[in-house]
Amino acid sequence: MARLINGKEVALSVIETVKDRAKALQDDAGVTVGLAVVIVGDDLASHAYVGAKSRVAKDCGFTSVQHTLPAETTQKELALLVQRLNADPAVHGILVQLPLPKHLDSEAIVQSIRPEKDVDGLNVVNAGKVATGDLKTGLVSCTPAGVMALVGCIHGRDLAGLNAVVIGRSNLFGKPMAHSHTKNLPAICRTADILVAAVGRPAMVKADWVKPDATVIDVGINRIAAAEDGEGKTRLVGDVDFDAVEKIAGAITPVPGGVGPMTIAMLMANAVRAAAFSAGVAPPSFNNN
Ligand code: GUN
């Protein structure tokens, strides 16, 4: 049976470090970390997610301001808000929750966030730094950073000699993590010592896709009907067929309680790093490099 990788526990230890660094910034430089979270529209899952981010930010001692805009917000209105937050010295990090309503051009909005305040790590400047191996001077995309921390719990810092396969190629996760595009997916997955699934398809990764003893990281968060829990009930599942795969894998993340808490912890880590950069203080490092 696979070892369960407890993302909640690892995330809590990251958050403890964030709290210490935020307090040091306050005591030594008089800087309170400021995070602005922007949400447009009424998507319930997004509101729940943003609520969790705002709560953790406050718990870290940050000033966290949530900007809740109606679904009919125009591109211009949203762009103006980002411009205002870009110019506000009390705001060190800006997060625009995705997906945005369909009539809005999310890429233009994301790219308009100043790279120094881009705590999601989605601006081309930050993505480019990751792509060229610079994990020190920018802000690394939160979910890949969280996944690397979880992989480090099992394999340590040095992954040399291990085969890694990432399924999925979104801007939020698959591209910054790696890049994979293949027809013979199950066979490719079976070569992986570290298998990361980020597709958004419930239970897609089956037991016979997994090499015995592999480390399996499930980035998927899919809400499915759960009639067995009662009429109209739903539950969260990942991209991995957990019950079958845990019998084969060496280590596996659960959904929920695996990657999800790490994404939020790494967002807080990026916010405290952004504030340190802006105060001219050496930024804390939260990765293995
Ligand atoms: N929507 C789902 N995950 C994320 C994330 O990590 N950042 C943003 N901005 N939106 C998301």
Side-chain angles (χ1 to χ4, degrees), residues 49 53 95-99 120 122 142-143 172 263:
Y49 209 19
K53 289 173 184 177
L95 176 139
V96 177
Q97 184 68 15
L98 302 173
D120 257 327
L122 296 177
C142 305
T143 306
L172 262 179
T263 299

Side-chain angles (χ1 to χ4, degrees), residues 275-282:
F277 280 131
S278 91
V281 173

